[in-house]
Amino acid sequence: MKLPVAELHIHLEGTLEPEAILRLAAQNGVTLPWPSLEQLREQYDFSNLQSFLDLFYTNLAVLRTRADFHEITLAYLRRAEAAGVRHVELFFDPQAHLERGIGLGEVVGGIREALHEGEKRFGITHKLIACFWRHAPAASAMEILRTLIAEGHDVDGIGLDSSELGYPPALFREVFDYARDHGLHVVAHAGEEGPPEYIVQALDLLKVERIDHGIRCLEDPTLVERLVAEQMPLTVCPLSNVRLRTVDTMADHPLRQMLEAGLKVSIHSDDPAYFGGYLDANFAAVIGQFELSREEQAVLARNSIESSFLEEPAKSRLCAEVDLWLSAEGRDL
Ligand code: HPA
Ligand code: ZN
């Protein structure tokens, strides 16, 4: 039996594997600056968040049609099932596709169809979250959000991603007010490269339900106390943090400190095709590094489920499966 988990921090565009990038480029007549797999793979050496984002945004030029979005979503779900994912809350970047002339209907429609198909085939339930670029003006996010709602596109929430430093959450206050007023869930990347103050702003001004990353909270003990008291979910992505040099090595990752502080931490994969692995690889990395007990692994899995936007009784059902996994202790169920 695999440990059942909810994947809450995963960018669809970050699941685009190098092989798929080249295949879609050929299929769609898109010319990339790196024509061979070898040359493409050489680009995957990052010095910080921006160096990754530059490659990530260039590569997604290969996504052109509704069928492309369908195909990559289904490919992700197939891989996620193998990693034990039972529920996913999938991010996508609407601005990245709109600026290339692809309609919201094709993007959201293609992804949603695949999510429904994946639910039947792999038993993975789902939510879909549109992430806005913090490096773009808030007016752009607002316009797209209004369109998503007015045209009835099937999204469950909004998030905030892309370059963090210099783009504080405060810039997006009205966008998040509008989203909450229209019944959407709200999350935001904060405290990945940005200071603890950005986490405070995301909580106070955007009134988010989860913080994506949030690892820099540890620099502010008052903030840690608050996050613990509120049991605010933090979706931590260990392999991403190492590959983007937010931490030097896995040994320097603050996961154990975060758990010991009583923070509601869960483990996720961010952009698995870029950072060296899916959810199972992220779990394996922290289990190996921090010698996590089965009970600690179960805590991380329960946190992911409890931090999700699933309703009851789905949450309790999945948590019961975690208990079953824990009691199985080495026995194959
Ligand atoms: N951080 C910010 N923006 C992103 C990321 C990330 O890790 N992945 C895709 N967009
Ligand atoms: Zn992310």
Side-chain angles (χ1 to χ4, degrees):
M1 181 187 190
K2 286 175 227 145
L3 176 61
V5 282
E7 171 67 289
L8 308 179
H9 187 159
I10 170 93
H11 302 261
L12 174 65
E13 298 89 346
T15 69
L16 205 45
E17 294 285 347
E19 293 79 3
I21 291 169
L22 293 187
R23 188 170 37 74
L24 286 165
Q27 186 177 308
N28 291 332
V30 175
T31 307
L32 289 173
W34 24 83
S36 75
L37 198 57
E38 198 186 351
Q39 286 165 298
L40 175 56
R41 283 192 195 282
E42 281 169 12
Q43 312 306 313
Y44 286 54
D45 183 19
F46 311 116
S47 51
N48 55 23
L49 173 59
Q50 193 60 51
S51 65
F52 151 70
L53 290 171
D54 292 343
L55 177 69
F56 173 84
Y57 295 137
T58 304
N59 284 343
L60 53 78
V62 303
L63 295 170
R64 302 292 328 167
T65 67
R66 184 183 181 112
D68 296 339
F69 286 93
H70 186 282
E71 178 188 318
I72 66 163
T73 305
L74 210 54
Y76 161 66
L77 292 170
R78 191 174 296 114
R79 181 63 187 80
E81 186 207 21
V85 174
R86 302 295 305 279
H87 174 72
V88 62
E89 306 199 344
L90 187 63
F91 294 153
F92 72 106
D93 284 351
Q95 283 145 313
H97 310 301
L98 283 166
E99 74 168 19
R100 297 181 297 111
I102 306 169
L104 278 174
E106 284 161 280
V107 177
V108 179
I111 299 171
R112 262 302 182 199
E113 265 172 23
L115 287 171
H116 285 298
E117 192 176 328
E119 184 170 358
K120 285 196 207 110
R121 283 169 65 173
F122 310 117
I124 300 174
T125 53
H126 46 87
K127 305 277 179 192
L128 184 59
I129 297 178
C131 280
F132 294 113
W133 279 345
R134 59 207 312 158
H135 72 263
S140 156
M142 195 64 177
E143 187 191 334
I144 297 164
L145 176 59
R146 284 182 191 279
T147 307
L148 280 169
I149 292 169
E151 294 181 356
H153 295 286
D154 191 7
V155 298
D156 301 289
I158 67 161
L160 197 60
D161 67 2
S162 187
S163 325
E164 187 178 8
L165 287 168
Y167 302 102
L171 297 168
F172 295 87
R173 192 175 182 158
E174 281 173 34
V175 177
F176 277 66
D177 281 346
Y178 194 84
R180 280 186 283 97
D181 287 348
H182 287 80
L184 292 175
H185 287 292
V186 289
V187 298
H189 285 55
E192 177 184 18
E193 283 191 345
E197 170 60 18
Y198 284 16
I199 300 175
V200 176
Q201 285 188 15
L203 296 173
D204 289 342
L205 306 180
L206 308 188
K207 302 185 170 57
V208 294
E209 296 163 87
R210 292 197 295 255
I211 297 284
D212 293 313
H213 292 295
I215 62 172
R216 287 196 58 193
C217 72
L218 292 172
E219 296 167 32
D220 178 349
T222 312
L223 174 59
V224 170
E225 226 172 88
R226 173 182 180 182
L227 293 168
V228 171
E230 294 177 9
Q231 284 295 283
M232 175 59 58
L234 305 176
T235 62
V236 171
C237 307
L239 289 176
S240 166
N241 296 151
V242 174
R243 290 296 294 273
L244 298 186
R245 314 220 183 151
T246 314
V247 296
D248 290 334
T249 67
M250 196 56 83
D252 303 302
H253 197 281
L255 178 71
R256 184 164 282 293
Q257 248 173 297
M258 296 176 91
L259 280 170
E260 283 172 4
L263 289 160
K264 197 168 186 73
V265 182
S266 50
I267 297 294
H268 306 286
S269 65
D270 211 3
D271 300 280
Y274 287 85
F275 300 148
Y278 287 76
L279 197 55
D280 41 359
N282 276 273
F283 261 90
V286 293
I287 290 168
Q289 183 63 54
F290 301 108
E291 299 181 346
L292 298 180
S293 65
R294 283 176 67 90
E295 178 51 53
E296 286 168 325
Q297 295 170 46
V299 167
L300 289 168
R302 274 191 219 106
N303 283 352
S304 76
I305 294 159
E306 288 164 0
S307 301
S308 77
F309 298 136
L310 277 169
E311 305 286 342
E312 289 295 354
K315 277 188 184 180
S316 300
R317 259 201 312 261
L318 278 178
C319 283
E321 288 191 36
V322 173
D323 294 341
L324 196 62
W325 174 87
L326 194 54
S327 66
E329 193 80 41
R331 279 184 292 122
D332 262 344
L333 279 188

